[in-house]
Amino acid sequence: MAVLKVKFTKTKRDKLAQILWILNWVSVVSGIILFSLGLFLKIEIKKRNEVMAKGDINSVPNMLISVGVIACIINFLGGKICYDCSDANKFSRWKLVMLPYIVCTFCFTFCILVGALMCYTMRNELEESLYLGLRDAIKFYKDTDIPGRCFLKKTVDLLQIGFRCCGNNGFRDWFEIQWVSPRYLNMASKEVLDRLKSNVDGKFLVDGVPFSCCNPSSPRPCIQYQLTNNSAHYNYDFLTEELNIWMKGCRQALLDYYTGIMRSIGIAALLIWLFELSVLIGVRYLQTAMKNVLLLGDLEGESDGWLLENSVVETAKYNINIIKNLGKANQISTVSGMNDPNINVQNTDCDKTNITTKSIPAAR
């Protein structure tokens, strides 16, 4: 029994074909939107790839870009097919193409759904990439004279100012690394030497942060150094007073930023998926209705259209049997090919003199 069978008159078939022609062109626009969203996300990630570790974080934008391009091509072809389906004579040349087209479109529509879901599952990979990238960027913050790292100080400072953040997880990350270049340390100073000797690794560690961590909205002048020393500042209590530097870590700030973008892109991709699915259902109805018209032979009469010719269970069993039979046929051909006695046997010409022929007795 057909699933969701609908009866179509010639007028309904023509209207369905015209509507689907318009919707396919709208789908071309939706493909351009998907492509643009993927390109936008790729550019945003590339802007800050200096503070991101290498990984699969570009899989989502690449997926959206690819799906967007394919959407434009498939829906452009679908518009041409639906336009010709308004005429039964023109439909005959698309009759053998439409079912493979519907199958390919279904697979493509599934890819849109996968791309939309990937926008919500990418958070963990992005968080790990940001953590590792920011850790290395902060570690090499002081290396302004080393080629390949000299840009990191400017990158980190602009990042902390732009996203109002400080450090990787927080401002205390700066306490654990030497972020002041040795060329700017006075080695003749007893304080500097004592601090270098006090550290096992010989690093110049201070309880201070770069200037880019300062909050310009604070009424108090920025306190960058000796953040944990109450006696170093007038009317200052480290434990009770709110510091005049950014408290949020840059990893969390960037993660929130990219999560917001991907969440919006995911919603847009889901809406486009639902729209493409509805167009695909309409094309399937049009294909089955036009196919039945040709079978009936009455181009002006009514015809049935459906999503599945048989029930879902029967259709699934039928497709599984086809796959199994294909596998068996492949095995049989392989085995028969190995045991075929005619393989690698040279043809020889028979000598006519060796053939004994029986004479036909003469009629008496």
Side-chain angles (χ1 to χ4, degrees):
M1 181 178 178
V3 178
L4 298 177
K5 185 169 65 173
V6 178
K7 191 172 292 294
F8 291 90
T9 61
K10 184 180 185 306
T11 304
K12 288 182 178 180
R13 289 194 300 269
D14 292 344
K15 287 184 177 179
L16 180 60
Q18 293 171 1
I19 293 172
L20 289 175
W21 175 72
I22 296 173
L23 291 181
N24 271 282
W25 281 107
V26 176
S27 296
V28 172
V29 177
S30 68
I32 296 173
I33 293 174
L34 276 177
F35 175 83
S36 302
L37 291 174
L39 187 62
F40 169 74
L41 181 58
K42 192 176 184 69
I43 292 173
E44 286 297 309
I45 291 175
K46 191 165 182 63
K47 281 181 182 178
R48 297 169 185 91
N49 62 350
E50 296 165 352
V51 294
M52 293 183 183
K54 294 181 179 179
D56 297 332
I57 55 176
N58 283 312
S59 58
V60 173
N62 290 339
M63 180 75 168
L64 293 173
I65 290 172
S66 302
V67 168
V69 172
I70 296 172
C72 293
I73 298 172
I74 286 182
N75 290 305
F76 179 81
L77 177 62
K80 173 62 177 174
I81 293 174
C82 292
Y83 181 80
D84 289 344
C85 283
S86 57
D87 186 351
N89 295 322
K90 291 183 179 179
F91 171 77
S92 58
R93 64 185 180 186
W94 295 107
K95 182 173 64 175
L96 299 177
V97 179
M98 281 202 72
L99 187 57
Y101 167 79
I102 291 173
V103 174
C104 292
T105 306
F106 177 78
C107 296
F108 149 74
T109 307
F110 180 74
C111 290
I112 297 179
L113 177 61
V114 172
L117 296 178
M118 286 175 66
C119 292
Y120 294 96
T121 58
M122 185 185 168
R123 181 182 174 89
N124 293 334
E125 296 177 1
L126 180 61
E127 185 174 8
E128 182 180 2
S129 177
L130 287 171
Y131 172 77
L132 297 175
L134 285 168
R135 183 194 64 183
D136 293 339
I138 292 173
K139 179 181 178 181
F140 302 130
Y141 179 86
K142 68 179 187 303
D143 298 338
T144 53
D145 299 328
I146 299 177
R149 299 179 185 173
C150 55
F151 60 87
L152 284 175
K153 180 183 182 300
K154 179 181 178 181
T155 300
V156 173
D157 284 334
L158 291 176
L159 178 68
Q160 293 188 143
I161 293 171
F163 284 86
R164 300 183 175 185
C165 57
C166 186
N168 192 347
N169 298 311
F171 68 92
R172 289 181 178 274
D173 292 336
W174 293 105
F175 298 177
E176 301 172 1
I177 55 107
Q178 178 181 336
W179 53 272
V180 180
S181 176
R183 67 179 296 187
Y184 301 114
L185 295 177
N186 183 9
M187 294 303 177
S189 172
K190 183 178 182 300
E191 181 183 354
V192 173
L193 293 176
D194 290 342
R195 192 172 290 275
L196 290 173
K197 292 178 181 179
S198 64
N199 185 263
V200 177
D201 297 326
K203 295 180 180 179
F204 184 75
L205 303 182
V206 294
D207 56 343
V209 295
F211 77 97
S212 53
C213 283
C214 293
N215 183 357
S217 301
S218 174
R220 180 171 189 158
C222 184
I223 298 176
Q224 293 178 244
Y225 296 98
Q226 298 183 344
L227 291 173
T228 58
N229 187 359
N230 292 334
S231 61
H233 312 284
Y234 175 74
N235 193 22
Y236 178 76
D237 188 354
F238 169 71
L239 296 176
T240 60
E241 185 171 346
E242 184 178 352
L243 300 180
N244 55 0
I245 58 175
W246 303 118
M247 304 299 292
K248 180 184 286 189
C250 290
R251 177 175 58 87
Q252 187 61 45
L254 285 172
L255 188 63
D256 293 342
Y257 174 73
Y258 283 112
T259 300
I261 291 177
M262 290 188 294
R263 191 173 296 162
S264 301
I265 292 176
I267 293 173
L270 283 174
L271 293 175
I272 291 174
W273 170 71
L274 290 173
F275 178 75
E276 292 284 350
L277 189 62
S278 62
V279 174
L280 178 61
I281 292 173
V283 173
R284 173 60 174 168
Y285 272 115
L286 180 63
Q287 181 254 335
T288 52
M290 295 300 296
K291 176 183 175 182
N292 290 329
V293 162
L294 295 179
L295 291 175
L296 294 173
D298 184 7
L299 302 182
E300 302 295 327
E302 294 183 345
S303 63
D304 293 330
W306 51 69
L307 288 182
L308 297 174
E309 188 172 359
N310 300 309
S311 65
V312 177
V313 177
E314 291 175 352
T315 304
K317 289 181 178 179
Y318 176 75
N319 292 325
I320 292 172
N321 289 331
I322 290 177
I323 296 173
K324 288 182 178 179
N325 292 332
L326 287 174
K328 290 179 180 179
N330 186 34
Q331 292 177 358
I332 293 172
S333 62
T334 304
V335 174
S336 62
M338 293 172 62
N339 299 327
D340 192 349
N342 295 320
I343 294 178
N344 298 327
V345 176
Q346 297 180 353
N347 293 326
T348 58
D349 295 333
C350 298
D351 191 356
K352 295 181 180 179
T353 60
N354 295 330
I355 300 175
T356 304
T357 57
K358 294 182 179 179
S359 60
I360 302 174
R364 293 179 180 179

